[in-house]
Amino acid sequence: IGCGGSDHHRQRNKTKSNSNDKNGSYDTEKRFVYEHDKRFEPFPTFPLALAFNSMPMVTTIHHEEGVDNSAENRNERIMNMLLSSSSSLSSPKDDYFGIRTFPPPSMNGGILPSQFLRKEEGGGTTVDVNSYPAIHISQSLRMHHPFPVPPTQEQQKQQQQQQQQQCLVKIVIASKIISVEPKGIGTFVTSEADFYHLPNSYTRSTAKSSLSLSSFRLCTGRATYLLLGLPPSSVIPYTIQQLQQKQQKPIKKDGPKQQQSEEKSSKKSSSPPSPNDIIRYNIPSHQPFLYRLSGDYNQIHVDANSLPTFLTSMLEEEEEEEGGDSDGTSTVRPIMHGLCTLGYAIRASLFYWTQRGEKQQHEHHQLSPSNINVTDVKCSFVKPLPVGDPICVRLWENKKDYSNVQSVDKEGNKNVKLHFQVINDKNGHIVVDGGVVQAALATGAKEMPDRSTSLNTITTRSKL
């Protein structure tokens, strides 16, 4: 995701040859796309693509009236899904291999399920949610355990006696709605998804008695979408209890609006510090066609005619600012996948940490690609990026100390953080803002735990 397919170079070395950077980056990034690489592992944001390719086993687990939505009941249902045999899961059918639809099958009811829509007298909903454009506003991902990978062909040969018919990794995704907030511009929907993996070595009794469900949780993703134009009168507002408690905190006398305006003015008045590094990418125009293979088949990324009116108007205004075509004709292009653009930002962060490790030779900076384990990612998507426009990723360290070590865990790993922005290098507009990526860096010869999954600990039925 966001890996390969483009040239990148650093702002600092702009006047020098960057062939060494390219070769180093090729060697570093091959581990994300070549299954026989000794360091083969998923790209840090790979889990975000799984939701587009998964097949629904049960209805998305929401908080509904008349249903036992206690944490104990929800955890029990998730554990049962993890422990279900491969034969009980829905097998791929012939039509599954046809042309993919969007939204994908895993998004039952779309981004906003029907229980959050007001009903008409006849029992039906008042609006069709799928007729409103969905804008990806923000995304976060927190890793709890290293993501497993199936064994390679070479590993399978070494374990022929234990070989199974399928060597895939079973992932169960349990999603829930966090909040539904109707506003004048539309409705903001925030959802959260937990990704679970249970090795075959665990039986129903051992899994339930010896370990909690959190022991099998790989990562947690949270996303916010804006359903543009969806009228508040058609939506049932909703927030989980934890968020309601946060919102009930006392407000200062000057009121929230005045506080927000003061915060905005203070942000505008203080100019951001110079970034520690700037890394540029020339993204090829065919990148969205490749990224569609992740499962996101939304047409707005490959067909400009399918763009919502408001996006078309926004892009046309930007064209006018840049001068546009001399004949006055519109050349509005499709827009990049937001998660693909995020992938480039994470790629730049990995490149930054790796290159820093090569330059700093003392023991605290002896980094190699296998020493970097991304643990947290979050960002906001603030403007669309037209296909074919180059980008630059600005990176800031959180502290003046160049090592940027936030803390050291019990295993000696250095926990570090980078802040990032993604800029459209053609017009200077910020397209991704408020980005933060955190990682655990193992020092010296020590490397992160092996991600490979042996044949006696894998389960089946994942399309990826």
Side-chain angles (χ1 to χ4, degrees), residues 363-367 371 412-414 441-447:
E363 61 176 343
H364 294 299
H365 293 84
Q366 291 178 352
L367 301 179
N371 294 124
N413 298 320
K414 310 292 184 179
L441 310 181
T443 59
K446 183 178 179 180
E447 295 190 352

Side-chain angles (χ1 to χ4, degrees), residues 251-260 262:
I251 300 175
K252 293 182 179 180
K253 293 182 180 180
D254 52 5
K257 291 186 178 180
Q258 184 174 343
Q259 291 178 32
Q260 290 176 5
E262 290 176 357

Side-chain angles (χ1 to χ4, degrees), residues 329-346:
T329 59
S330 174
T331 56
V332 170
R333 290 159 288 158
I335 60 175
M336 289 284 293
H337 297 78
L339 292 182
C340 185
T341 308
L342 171 61
Y344 277 101
I346 303 306

Side-chain angles (χ1 to χ4, degrees), residues 13-302:
N13 300 328
K14 194 171 182 180
T15 59
K16 299 179 180 179
S17 171
N18 54 16
S19 58
N20 290 336
D21 281 357
K22 291 181 186 178
N23 293 336
S25 124
Y26 172 81
D27 182 62
T28 298
E29 297 172 346
K30 190 174 68 172
R31 76 187 195 275
F32 296 127
V33 293
Y34 182 49
E35 67 277 10
H36 295 295
D37 191 289
K38 292 181 179 179
R39 304 160 299 176
F40 178 62
E41 61 178 295
F43 193 73
T45 54
F46 168 75
L48 299 177
L50 288 176
F52 291 102
N53 291 272
S54 61
M55 296 299 289
M57 296 169 58
V58 295
T59 302
T60 305
I61 303 175
H62 298 298
H63 293 267
E64 304 177 40
E65 295 183 2
V67 179
D68 183 2
N69 288 310
S70 63
E72 292 78 12
N73 178 265
R74 187 174 188 275
N75 291 347
E76 178 77 14
R77 294 162 69 184
I78 296 172
M79 182 64 80
N80 288 335
M81 284 189 283
L82 284 168
L83 293 168
S84 60
S85 63
S86 60
S87 59
S88 65
L89 301 182
S90 57
S91 301
K93 298 180 180 180
D94 292 339
D95 57 0
Y96 179 80
F97 296 96
I99 296 176
R100 297 284 184 89
T101 58
F102 187 88
S106 59
M107 292 184 180
N108 288 331
I111 293 173
L112 183 63
S114 59
Q115 63 261 35
F116 298 103
L117 297 174
R118 300 192 185 279
K119 303 293 190 297
E120 295 177 334
E121 294 183 0
T125 57
T126 57
V127 294
D128 177 15
V129 173
N130 293 328
S131 64
Y132 293 89
I135 306 172
H136 200 170
I137 298 296
S138 64
Q139 180 69 56
S140 68
L141 178 68
R142 168 163 291 186
M143 301 300 300
H144 306 291
H145 295 95
F147 219 82
V149 296
T152 63
Q153 186 176 5
E154 183 178 349
Q155 291 171 333
Q156 292 179 35
K157 290 180 180 179
Q158 294 174 357
Q159 305 177 38
Q160 288 182 355
Q161 294 180 352
Q162 299 177 350
Q163 189 170 359
Q164 299 178 0
Q165 290 183 351
Q166 296 192 49
C167 298
L168 304 178
V169 176
K170 173 185 171 182
I171 303 294
V172 169
I173 305 174
S175 62
K176 62 183 178 183
I177 296 295
I178 297 295
S179 65
V180 179
E181 301 178 81
K183 303 289 184 180
I185 191 175
T187 299
F188 291 86
V189 182
T190 300
S191 60
E192 186 176 89
D194 288 315
F195 297 70
Y196 297 90
H197 167 65
L198 181 67
N200 264 346
S201 55
Y202 288 96
T203 63
R204 181 176 294 271
S205 58
T206 57
K208 288 190 174 182
S209 61
S210 61
L211 294 171
S212 64
L213 183 64
S214 61
S215 302
F216 309 117
R217 186 173 56 180
L218 298 173
C219 60
T220 300
R222 179 175 289 196
T224 298
Y225 284 87
L226 167 62
L227 292 172
L228 190 71
L230 183 61
S233 58
S234 302
V235 179
I236 302 174
Y238 171 80
T239 34
I240 60 174
Q241 185 177 1
Q242 291 87 336
L243 291 182
Q244 289 175 342
Q245 292 175 350
K246 291 181 181 179
Q247 293 173 350
Q248 290 172 359
K249 290 182 179 180
I251 300 175
K252 293 182 179 180
K253 293 182 180 180
D254 52 5
K257 291 186 178 180
Q258 184 174 343
Q259 291 178 32
Q260 290 176 5
S261 61
E262 290 176 357
E263 290 175 0
K264 289 181 179 179
S265 61
S266 63
K267 288 181 180 178
K268 290 181 181 178
S269 60
S270 58
S271 58
S274 299
N276 290 86
D277 208 347
I278 297 177
I279 301 177
R280 286 182 157 81
Y281 293 94
N282 295 317
I283 304 177
S285 58
H286 65 263
Q287 178 71 70
F289 290 96
L290 295 177
Y291 191 84
R292 294 186 92 216
L293 300 178
S294 70
D296 187 347
Y297 282 74
N298 196 334
Q299 298 178 48
I300 65 175
H301 303 300
V302 293

